[in-house]
Every structure is written in C-alpha cells, then in structure tokens.
C-alpha cells in the first residue's frame, strides 16, 4: 500500500440500502487493514472547512499570554490550550512540536451536570461564531461514519450512534509551527510522535502541507498525502477493543517533510468518544470460534483517563 484508500461517501449519504452497504464495506476493509481511509463527498462544504482552518490560524497567532489564559487543566475536562512541547504522544521521544486547542460539543456545554466547559477566547467573538456551527457539523457527520461502521459489522445501524449520544467528543484545532533552521530543532524530531488514537474514531481535516504518516501492518509508513475535499478517518484504540481487534487502530505520526518543514501546518481533529459510562465489550459479531473474545469489559471513562494521563 502506497497511499490511503479514497472512498466516495456520497452513496452512503444518498443511496439505497445496497449502495450504502457497499460504501460501508469499503470502509470496513480499510479499517481492518491500515485503520485509516479518506472520504470524499462528506456533505460538509469545502468552503466551511477552509474557514475553520483560517479561524484556527487566527487563534494560534494570538499572543502567547492570551492562549495561556485558556490553558488545558485536566484529563477529566480535556479542554483548553496546550502549548508547544506540552504534550508527548510518543513517550520515548522529545515532546511534540505542536500547539493545540480543545473544545467540546454544544450538547455537553448545555449539560448542567457536566462540569467541563469550553474556554472561548473572550477577545475573539468571531472565533466562537465560526467554530461552534462547525463542531455541530462534525458531530452530525461522525454519526454517519459510525452508522456505516455498524452496518459493515452487521450490527443494528444505530448501535454505535446510541453509545455516543451524549456527544462527549473532543474537537481539536492544531498548529505545527514552521521550523526555521538553527532554532535548535533536529530534523528527526516529530511534529507529533508516533501514537494511536484513544477513542472510537477520529476525523481529520488537514491543510496541504503534509507530513501525516500511518504505519501499515507490514511496518512501512504510508503517507496520508493531503487530497483536496477529503477528510481522513481513522480507527482508535477503543473501537479496536470494541470490535475484538477486527478493526485496527494503527500508529501514526506527523513528520517534517523537507520541502515543507519551514511552513506552518494546520489541522482539525475530531476525536469521537463514546458516552463516559458506556461499557465497552467485544460486539457479538466480532467474536467467533476462530477469533475468541480477547478483552474484559471496560468503561469509556476508565480507558480514556488511563490513556490521557500517560501523554501529559
Ligand atoms: Ca492522532
């Protein structure tokens, strides 16, 4: 495999049952092998993706103190600003050359029993105006992807959607600063160290700079080459566990391609997370005599906190 499969999502959104299933099975095949694929025709206009990336760019250009006032505080809330080198995705390497800003969905904002609240930059009212509707679009789209995976696994089509109905997802803006020569960065350092994602699925919008690589089961790194009007989707650890290793959560990293390491890279990730109290146990269609159940049940919360505490 030299590049990620590109799957047309249009027929899943508008087609009949058999057309939907065909798209879903393509997604399953990619999820079983490399754990990543790209989708085109996802129903979110590219102009809105571009606007969200522009909003991210404006946010990260704010003075350091303004961003620091919105700092990330705990794994439990997992919201706020994370400075360059604050996070180490690969604990065997130096900390990551990236900064990030995490937000939650509107549904969790409105939930009075949920103490985690978004930290909106007060001096930038247009930030919230642009980003809040975009988060909602990501949520709607994520439900379509979860539906497709359920269909592909012969589950009730709402199986995963129901388990995510509290929408405890993390929306994350990312900025990988331009790496000028002679600033003490080593060419071999990663913009983001090799890691797997923690949750169920991740959606990723990336600009055209490149650098994202995915480790195939053969051990080779495959470039997730930026492709216009596509979104990258990948399987996270929780989904791998939930499907008894049928779907695969593959390691990935962000490198510094020599032709673009002196440029800033921006991306937006949407980490889908099942409801906190959801018990994650191998789904029945993924347990067979040749593939017996490998995992004890765990709640989403137990799994996520263990993973987050390792990266900070
Ligand atoms: Ca990731």
């Amino acid at each position: 495999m030299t590049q990620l499969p590109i799957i047309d999502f249009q027929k899943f959104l508008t087609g009949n049952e058999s057309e939907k299933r065909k798209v879903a099975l393509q997604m399953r095949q990619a999820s079983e092998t490399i754990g990543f694929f790209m989708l085109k025709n996802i129903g979110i206009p590219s102009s809105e993706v571009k606007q969200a990336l522009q909003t991210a760019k404006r946010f990260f250009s704010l003075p350091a103190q303004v961003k620091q006032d919105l700092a990330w505080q705990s794994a439990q809330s997992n919201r706020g600003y994370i400075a360059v080198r604050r996070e180490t995705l690969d604990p065997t390497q130096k900390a990551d050359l990236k900064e990030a800003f995490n937000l939650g969905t509107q549904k969790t904002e409105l939930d009075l029993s949920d103490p985690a609240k978004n930290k909106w930059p007060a001096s930038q009212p247009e930030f919230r105006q642009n980003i809040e509707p975009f988060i909602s679009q990501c949520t709607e789209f994520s439900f379509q992807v979860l539906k497709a995976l359920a269909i592909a696994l012969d589950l009730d089509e709402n199986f995963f959607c129901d388990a995510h109905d509290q929408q405890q997802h993390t929306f994350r803006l990312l900025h990988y600063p331009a790496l000028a020569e002679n600033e003490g960065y080593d060419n071999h350092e990663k913009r983001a160290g090799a890691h797997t994602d923690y949750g169920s699925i991740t959606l990723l919008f990336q600009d055209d700079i490149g650098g994202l690589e995915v480790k195939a089961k053969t051990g080779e790194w495959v470039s997730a080459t930026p492709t216009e009007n596509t979104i990258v989707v990948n399987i996270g650890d929780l989904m791998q566990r939930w499907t008894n290793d049928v779907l695969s959560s593959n390691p990935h990293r962000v490198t510094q391609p020599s032709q673009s390491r002196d440029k800033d890279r921006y991306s937006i990730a949407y980490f889908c997370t099942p409801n906190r109290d959801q018990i994650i146990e191998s789904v029945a269609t993924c347990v067979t005599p040749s593939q017996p159940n490998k995992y004890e049940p765990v709640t989403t919360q137990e799994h996520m906190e263990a993973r987050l505490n390792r990266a900070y």
Side-chain angles (χ1 to χ4, degrees):
M1 191 177 286
T2 53
Q3 59 178 35
L4 300 185
I6 299 178
I7 299 167
D8 189 342
F9 203 55
Q10 180 76 46
K11 284 271 173 7
F12 186 82
L13 294 174
T14 58
N16 60 32
E17 290 309 308
S18 85
E19 289 168 329
K20 278 188 180 193
R21 188 169 170 80
K22 204 170 150 197
V23 176
L25 289 175
Q26 289 176 294
M27 292 161 65
R28 173 171 177 170
Q29 205 208 347
S31 302
E32 285 182 358
T33 50
I34 195 160
F36 274 73
F37 50 88
M38 292 187 189
L39 290 181
K40 62 177 183 183
N41 296 320
I42 63 167
I44 301 178
S46 60
S47 57
E48 290 175 30
V49 176
K50 286 201 179 96
Q51 188 196 42
L53 286 165
Q54 281 299 321
T55 305
K57 190 172 180 174
R58 278 198 301 278
F59 173 81
F60 289 115
S61 65
L62 291 170
Q65 190 56 53
V66 174
K67 293 186 284 187
Q68 212 50 57
D69 288 345
L70 305 167
W72 184 97
Q73 273 149 341
S74 72
Q76 211 202 349
S77 117
N78 195 28
R79 293 178 191 199
Y81 172 71
I82 296 139
V84 175
R85 291 218 196 273
R86 172 73 178 84
E87 188 176 45
T88 310
L89 284 169
D90 179 351
T92 69
Q93 303 292 322
K94 280 194 186 175
D96 297 342
L97 295 168
K98 67 171 184 342
E99 56 181 339
F101 189 51
N102 289 359
L103 296 152
T105 64
Q106 206 162 13
K107 182 153 186 170
T108 57
E109 285 289 279
L110 296 171
D111 178 357
L112 297 177
S113 68
D114 190 339
K117 290 289 170 260
N118 284 336
K119 297 165 182 278
W120 297 105
S123 63
Q124 310 285 313
E126 75 288 353
F127 178 91
R128 184 171 183 172
Q129 283 160 22
N130 290 338
I131 291 298
E132 216 164 32
F134 190 70
I135 295 176
S136 298
Q137 283 189 296
C138 290
T139 307
E140 268 175 54
F141 172 65
S142 71
F143 280 129
Q144 296 296 334
V145 175
L146 289 168
K147 208 171 260 192
L149 291 176
I151 290 170
L153 292 163
D154 298 314
L155 298 167
D156 180 280
E157 70 169 26
N158 290 316
F159 179 84
F160 292 123
C161 295
D162 290 347
H164 287 76
D165 65 359
Q166 291 169 22
Q167 302 180 14
Q168 286 153 348
H169 312 301
T170 297
F171 175 90
R172 177 176 241 199
L173 304 176
L174 286 144
H175 172 217
Y176 302 85
L179 302 170
E181 294 299 334
N182 307 319
E183 277 189 8
Y185 300 119
D186 172 341
N187 287 1
H188 303 293
E189 278 187 65
K190 301 295 177 283
R191 282 179 149 174
H195 65 285
T196 53
D197 287 348
Y198 314 153
S200 53
I201 57 170
T202 305
L203 313 178
L204 180 78
F205 301 93
Q206 55 175 346
D207 65 12
D208 57 4
I209 297 298
L212 175 63
E213 297 179 345
V214 184
K215 196 174 191 175
K217 286 183 176 165
T218 54
E220 65 190 328
W221 289 94
V222 176
S223 165
T225 309
T227 306
E228 246 202 296
N229 301 325
T230 65
I231 184 172
V232 177
V233 178
N234 67 283
I235 300 298
D237 296 342
L238 205 66
M239 184 61 85
Q240 175 172 325
R241 182 174 178 139
W242 216 347
T243 59
N244 198 30
D245 291 352
V246 168
L247 304 189
S248 177
S249 173
N250 282 42
H252 49 284
R253 64 187 184 186
V254 182
T255 61
Q256 311 172 24
S258 52
Q259 72 280 9
S260 60
R261 64 191 296 274
D262 60 344
K263 296 193 175 73
D264 294 273
R265 176 176 188 262
Y266 295 90
S267 66
I268 298 174
Y270 193 71
F271 299 103
C272 294
T273 314
N275 300 343
R276 218 167 269 139
D277 297 331
Q278 176 70 38
I279 293 168
I280 307 300
E281 54 189 337
S282 301
V283 295
T285 57
C286 293
V287 178
T288 62
S290 61
Q291 179 116 330
N293 183 25
K294 297 179 181 173
Y295 296 106
E296 292 298 312
V298 67
T299 66
T300 300
Q301 185 163 12
E302 288 162 354
H303 169 88
M304 294 301 286
E305 286 184 8
R307 290 299 314 268
L308 280 165
N309 286 327
R310 232 184 289 166
Y312 288 89

